[in-house]
Amino acid sequence: MAVTSAETARPLALVTGASSGIGYELARLFAQDGYDLLIAADQPAIVEAKQSLEGLGVQVTALQLDLSKVEAVDELYAAAAGRPIDALAANAGHGLGHAFLDQDWNDIMHVVNTNITGTIRLLYKVGAEMRTRGRGKILLTGSIAGLMPGSFQAVYNGTKAFVDSFSFALRNELKDTDVSVTVLMPGPVDTEFFERADMLDTSVGQSKDKSDPADVAKTGYEAMKRGDGDVVAGLKNKLQAAMAAVTPQTALAEMHRGMAEPGSGKN
């Protein structure tokens, strides 16, 4: 179902990974600010998210799509039906635990194609439209994981390093326009991420010290509204990001091993 082309004074926000967690909370913030929504996720819960968000008095179009696939990204973009997309929150992403050589190749490529390929294809389409129109806001969900080697989470951290770096490059390329690019870099968040990544037996997976997704979303949303280039959610994560900048990569890799190695949560 496509977004209707009826005349409306409300802006439109496209949010991916919006069935739960940070993505749902971002969609809720957009709705509270009067945006109509085009939301997507690969989970059936996107239907319940749509119903909940419609209760905020805005128009919501929801699609269950696997955004690791090019045709799914194109279907999502087409669902706007030519209506200008005023804000894009590219939040969809997947994790993957265990040692790289023990992972299934198809699972590896699904993470790469969701976190990188699908994300930049959507950005390519929406960003070009925004540049032509002369305005727009882009929020990417990166991670402080992109600042360190991710032992036993190597593919995920590598994809987030790409997202973090890409966001700064795109922001620079668009600096003479009114299109802003912001990257939100949270640490561990209390979502289904660790269960889906098969990391519940790890130290980080079992940690009780995870951020509230609503707080993380608010931090990113406010940074996007200000037009900031980047924001790290949470004081502890800010300290970790600062430490990562001055700590040798070999030491960071060993530290990450202690958090993400299978069975580390039993120590």
Side-chain angles (χ1 to χ4, degrees):
M1 178 181 176
V3 174
T4 63
S5 58
E7 288 297 321
T8 175
R10 290 194 297 263
L12 177 65
L14 193 167
V15 185
T16 65
S19 59
S20 63
I22 297 171
Y24 173 79
E25 296 297 339
L26 284 169
R28 186 175 60 82
L29 290 167
F30 277 114
Q32 289 174 342
D33 269 355
Y35 282 78
D36 285 337
L37 298 170
L38 173 55
I39 60 174
D42 62 359
Q43 298 295 301
I46 195 68
V47 176
E48 286 75 23
K50 167 185 165 67
Q51 294 169 347
S52 175
L53 293 164
E54 284 176 333
L56 297 174
V58 298
Q59 177 186 333
V60 183
T61 298
L63 291 87
Q64 183 180 345
L65 296 168
D66 179 358
L67 295 176
S68 71
K69 302 180 184 302
V70 168
E71 57 270 23
V73 176
D74 293 347
E75 181 180 347
L76 175 59
Y77 179 73
R83 183 173 170 185
I85 297 168
D86 300 278
L88 167 63
N91 171 76
H94 285 299
L96 188 61
H98 296 276
F100 171 67
L101 296 178
D102 295 331
Q103 294 168 344
D104 179 83
W105 180 251
N106 291 330
D107 291 340
I108 288 169
M109 291 311 300
H110 189 263
V111 171
V112 171
N113 288 330
T114 302
N115 297 6
I116 296 178
T117 310
T119 297
I120 64 172
R121 183 169 181 84
L122 187 58
L123 278 167
Y124 187 76
K125 288 177 169 291
V126 176
E129 171 195 314
M130 288 179 172
R131 185 179 65 175
T132 298
R133 202 169 64 250
R135 67 182 186 279
K137 294 185 178 299
I138 296 170
L139 177 64
L140 291 163
T141 300
S143 176
I144 63 168
L147 306 177
M148 62 190 74
S151 305
F152 295 94
Q153 208 178 353
V155 172
Y156 173 77
N157 282 41
T159 63
K160 288 303 182 180
F162 177 94
V163 171
D164 292 349
S165 173
F166 181 85
S167 68
F168 285 106
L170 182 60
R171 178 180 176 85
N172 180 265
E173 292 177 4
L174 294 171
K175 70 176 185 177
D176 296 325
T177 73
D178 285 328
V179 180
S180 65
V181 181
T182 303
V183 61
L184 168 63
M185 294 188 286
V189 183
D190 188 14
T191 67
E192 299 173 353
F193 174 91
F194 295 98
E195 179 180 359
R196 298 186 68 184
D198 193 19
M199 295 181 66
L200 291 180
D201 66 339
T202 65
S203 177
V204 65
Q206 293 189 7
S207 172
K208 305 299 183 184
D209 192 24
K210 298 186 183 78
S211 301
D212 185 316
D215 293 339
V216 173
K218 184 178 180 181
T219 296
Y221 187 77
E222 291 179 348
M224 179 202 69
K225 288 177 66 175
R226 292 191 301 267
D228 295 349
D230 63 289
V231 62
V232 177
L235 177 60
K236 179 180 177 181
N237 296 322
K238 292 180 190 293
L239 294 173
Q240 190 171 356
M243 183 179 69
V246 297
T247 303
Q249 295 292 295
T250 51
L252 288 172
E254 189 63 29
M255 289 169 58
H256 200 282
R257 181 188 190 109
M259 296 187 295
E261 185 173 12
S264 59
K266 301 173 184 177
N267 296 337

